[in-house]
Amino acid sequence: MKRILVGIKRVVDFNVRIRVKADNSGVITEGVKQGINPFDEIALEEALRLREQGLAEEVVAVSIGPPDAQNQLRTALAMGADRALLVNHAGVIEPLDAARILLKVAEREQPFLVLLGKQAIDDDNNQTGQMLAGLWNRPQATFASTLEIREGIARVTREVDAGLEVLEIDLPAVVTADLRLNEPRFVKLPDIIKARKKPLDTLDPAALGAAPRPRLTAVHYAPPPARQKGQRVKDVAELVASLAAKGLV
Amino acid sequence: MNRILVIAEHDGRRLAEATARAVACAQAIGGEITVAVLGAEVAEPARAAASLAGVAHVLTFAAPANAHALAAVQAPQLAAVAVSFSHVLAPSTTFGKDLLPRLAALLDVPALSDVMAVETATRFRRPIYAGNAIVTIEAGELRPILATVRLASFEAVATGAAAAAIEAVAVPPELPAHTRFISVTSQDSGRPDLATARRVVSGGRALGSAEKFQLVHELAAVLGAAVGASRAAVDAGYAPNDLQVGQTGKIIAPQLYVALGISGAIQHMTGIKDARAIVAINKDPDAPIFEAADYGLVADLFEAVPQLIAELRSRGR
Ligand SMILES: Cc1cc2nc3c(=O)[nH]c(=O)nc-3n(C[C@H](O)[C@H](O)[C@H](O)COP(=O)(O)OP(=O)(O)OC[C@H]3O[C@@H](n4cnc5c(N)ncnc54)[C@H](O)[C@@H]3O)c2cc1C
Ligand SMILES: Nc1ncnc2c1ncn2[C@@H]1O[C@H](COP(=O)(O)O)[C@@H](O)[C@H]1O
């Protein structure tokens, strides 16, 4: 079976402006709206399009997270994933541990392509795909803005600091989605109902042979330093005068 | 003593300023600093790295396979030397972000992304949630400590120091061939580099078309500034992707940032938090950008910007 594995991380919704707990022990996530990491929606959309073009037969969504991450997996199923896997783990998961778990899942599922987001917008790490590819000893193409699959290879355009880079990689491989890869579809109500019947299995990280072993300690959380309140200027002349007074022009 | 390896970013001719900023982070950690230069052509960048303040050694990895920075090809070469260092740093650019986590996986150690401050040799601060929180991470006994360095948080170290010793490392002949470079296209705007420019003028969705986006370039030219853009402007095709500023674009710290027709979404603002002065021109008085702007002008940009250009020109800029 030509299979694509897609990472789906449950994160605080991108519209929420998070706040740090008063005792500096973390950020407040209780009662805050959660959703699929936006880059993972893009990764999933790309996988669905490849299946729709006949280039893949099955799309499997995998999330490492608490039982509540089933909600995000149900959304992924409603978008069109064929089945879903929850790797049950409450609490923080370092990218290396996520990559170790994804490797075990990849070894079981034998995908020709693993599509992840370029970064999770909670911890902003931008590491998991690269780590998975390293552990798997397979190619990686990060920051993808176009993806073309041919017999056994992929051609990927990457959004890099210098502009657009094109790589050719042998499959299987790991590709991480950037914002401009596509625009994810909206979920329709009948799809949500259909998704309830799709298979969603739960796995245990230790049983997979990849129990998380966090090695970094977050000792303190703080809000960012606040900027000083600015001023309104009434017109261009006042703007230029203000800037000139500060030596900025 | 700490032994710190800094992975250089370069294009075969010039050493990127990002490298000198990563070296500044290494200096903040404190210890003996080595710079690794991988490439097909390494002579010029190695010489430049050797003259950076604080650099004691330069290791070159010269091989045709290193002509383009492919993480899958470079990570195994670095893994072979990384174990003898206490820290391995790379700039938090698309180059460093691509490479360092792969190296970490080969070494079976975690990595820290976007280090913005060094508290001790094992304790670092980094932004999370688009910069809406800052977390302090303790790495403890873990070695080597791998990190990418947030460029906007560190000033480049000086150049022109007494040249450090340059030593060539033998590159293994068997390197992965499963990843092949095809091409890179970059639009050279002729303007200063966005990542390190002292002044930046950015345009948003309000510009309305690629033609009208020229107004942003015009103001940038008068100010001697680099050009940036919001995601909406890039998505709409007004500006190329490498000009995007923000959480998923470039994080910059210019002296002066001018935002034209940009609403100020958190993902955009996280890219300019460290700007010394932010100017916003927006016709909506309630636009969130005004909360962060040092100088806010409520106006139609198509009227205000030509006036601004004229005013600056008349001041002899
Ligand atoms: C995961 C994720 C990552 C993202 N990463 C980034 C990122 O890195 N960078 C980024 O920029 N965005 C990013 N975004 C998008 C971000 O949320 C906003 O959608 C985007 O920044 C909006 O761009 P804008 O301000 O140009 O457009 P808009 O929000 O549409 O704002 C246009 C502004 O122009 C003003 N305006 C209109 N006409 C005029 C006129 N004639 N004169 C003056 N003002 C006028 C309007 O009042 C409005 O405030 C990301 C989003 C997500 C979900
Ligand atoms: N807990 C997780 N569950 C599923 N996918 C994940 C998880 N963590 C990371 N990923 C994938 O890896 C990408 C990059 O995450 P990060 O390295 O944490 O920024 C995400 O966009 C996901 O596709």
Side-chain angles (χ1 to χ4, degrees):
Chain A
M1 177 96 80
K2 283 178 68 97
R3 185 173 289 138
I4 303 177
L5 195 62
V6 181
I8 299 290
K9 188 175 186 191
R10 170 185 166 89
V11 298
V12 171
D13 184 86
F14 73 93
N15 274 316
V16 173
R17 194 181 287 259
I18 59 95
R19 281 184 304 120
V20 171
K21 290 181 184 162
D23 65 357
N24 299 103
S25 65
V27 301
I28 299 169
T29 53
E30 294 79 26
V32 169
K33 189 177 169 207
Q34 310 264 334
I36 298 180
N37 182 40
F39 293 100
D40 298 354
E41 271 183 15
I42 297 171
L44 175 57
E45 174 66 35
E46 197 67 14
L48 298 175
R49 290 183 190 187
L50 291 170
R51 191 191 60 199
E52 283 156 7
Q53 291 162 35
L55 293 163
E57 288 157 1
E58 191 183 45
V59 174
V60 180
V62 53
S63 188
I64 306 154
D68 278 347
Q70 288 181 43
N71 296 330
Q72 281 64 45
L73 287 173
R74 286 288 168 208
T75 306
L77 292 168
M79 272 179 75
D82 297 290
R83 56 192 176 87
L85 299 170
L86 173 70
V87 183
N88 203 339
H89 178 73
V92 259
I93 178 117
E94 289 179 7
L96 185 58
D97 286 332
R100 287 170 57 236
I101 290 170
L102 291 172
L103 175 67
K104 294 293 180 191
V105 175
E107 283 168 358
R108 282 167 60 127
E109 299 285 346
Q110 298 288 317
F112 73 95
L113 183 64
V114 179
L115 267 165
L116 303 181
K118 77 162 175 181
Q119 83 196 59
I121 61 161
D122 47 4
D123 287 333
D124 283 333
N125 272 314
N126 195 333
Q127 297 178 0
T128 306
Q130 298 88 309
M131 287 178 161
L132 170 61
L135 296 176
W136 201 15
N137 201 12
R138 294 305 308 165
Q140 71 189 46
T142 49
F143 316 117
S145 66
T146 71
L147 169 60
E148 249 179 83
I149 301 287
R150 301 185 201 150
E151 208 42 57
I153 59 167
R155 201 174 255 251
V156 185
T157 307
R158 305 178 58 228
E159 294 203 357
V160 295
D161 290 335
L164 296 172
E165 181 186 84
V166 180
L167 293 185
E168 190 180 270
I169 54 179
D170 294 342
L171 298 173
V174 179
V175 173
T176 74
D178 213 322
L179 287 171
R180 278 169 282 278
L181 186 57
N182 60 50
E183 272 196 46
R185 66 195 64 189
F186 288 105
V187 173
K188 294 190 255 4
L189 192 60
D191 298 329
I192 297 174
I193 293 161
K194 254 197 286 178
R196 292 198 191 126
K197 295 212 184 69
K198 291 185 179 177
L200 193 167
D201 293 327
T202 301
L203 302 171
D204 173 59
L208 282 171
R213 20 153 235 206
R215 288 186 285 174
L216 298 170
T217 315
V219 291
H220 186 82
Y221 291 79
R227 288 187 73 89
Q228 282 209 330
K229 190 103 191 75
Q231 65 183 83
R232 291 284 167 107
V233 292
K234 67 176 188 307
D235 55 21
V236 167
E238 191 187 338
L239 174 62
V240 174
S242 307
L243 294 176
K246 284 271 157 68
L248 291 164
V249 295
Chain B
M1 187 183 58
N2 294 313
R3 297 188 64 219
I4 307 165
L5 183 66
V6 176
I7 305 169
E9 179 163 355
H10 67 92
D11 62 4
R13 294 184 301 277
R14 281 184 40 246
L15 187 71
E17 202 203 90
T19 313
R21 292 182 186 239
V23 169
C25 179
Q27 281 192 324
I29 294 167
E32 188 186 72
I33 302 171
T34 301
V35 177
V37 182
L38 290 81
E41 303 288 337
V42 294
E44 275 310 313
R47 204 168 315 158
S51 71
L52 290 178
V55 173
H57 305 281
V58 174
L59 298 178
T60 60
F61 300 68
N66 287 336
H68 302 285
L70 301 174
V73 173
Q74 300 195 337
Q77 300 171 54
L78 288 161
V81 301
V83 281
S84 60
F85 290 89
S86 60
H87 299 71
V88 182
L89 308 180
S92 189
T93 55
T94 53
F95 161 75
K97 289 179 193 171
D98 191 45
L99 175 58
L100 201 88
R102 186 160 184 132
L103 175 61
L106 300 185
L107 298 170
D108 192 30
V109 292
L112 285 90
S113 296
D114 302 312
V115 164
M116 58 186 289
V118 177
E119 288 192 359
T120 71
T122 60
R123 192 169 280 211
F124 306 90
R125 287 204 293 270
R126 58 173 302 260
I128 53 174
Y129 289 93
N132 286 304
I134 310 295
V135 62
T136 305
I137 301 282
E138 172 62 48
E141 301 290 296
L142 190 80
R143 294 294 178 280
I145 295 172
L146 268 60
T148 57
V149 178
R150 184 175 181 271
L151 302 185
S153 303
F154 295 89
E155 293 279 348
V157 297
T159 181
I166 300 177
E167 187 192 326
V169 176
V171 175
E174 284 299 310
L175 289 168
H178 53 48
T179 304
R180 296 170 293 277
F181 172 86
I182 303 294
S183 65
V184 65
T185 43
S186 46
Q187 281 111 324
D188 187 6
S189 63
R191 301 242 56 81
D193 178 29
L194 173 60
T196 52
R198 294 176 61 78
R199 291 172 179 166
V200 174
V201 181
S202 279
R205 192 197 308 273
L207 271 300
S209 71
E211 293 73 50
K212 290 195 247 166
F213 200 85
Q214 282 309 313
L215 195 55
V216 179
H217 288 269
E218 257 178 70
L219 178 57
V222 178
L223 285 169
V227 171
S230 71
R231 174 191 172 185
V234 175
D235 284 358
Y238 309 160
N241 67 285
D242 48 303
L243 297 191
Q244 182 173 314
V245 171
Q247 180 187 17
T248 53
K250 291 193 169 115
I251 311 275
I252 57 176
Q255 300 288 312
L256 177 65
Y257 185 78
V258 183
L260 306 175
I262 292 178
S263 60
I266 40 179
Q267 295 89 1
H268 187 81
M269 300 316 287
T270 191
I272 57 171
K273 279 209 164 74
D274 293 334
R276 172 88 86 72
I278 297 174
V279 173
I281 301 181
N282 193 305
K283 69 177 183 190
D284 173 7
D286 297 324
I289 188 123
F290 288 125
E291 282 164 34
D294 300 283
Y295 305 97
L297 175 60
V298 178
D300 185 329
L301 75 93
F302 294 108
E303 286 165 21
V305 175
Q307 282 174 27
L308 181 56
I309 291 170
E311 185 90 14
L312 290 168
R313 282 216 177 101
S314 75
R315 285 176 168 254
R317 281 219 49 101

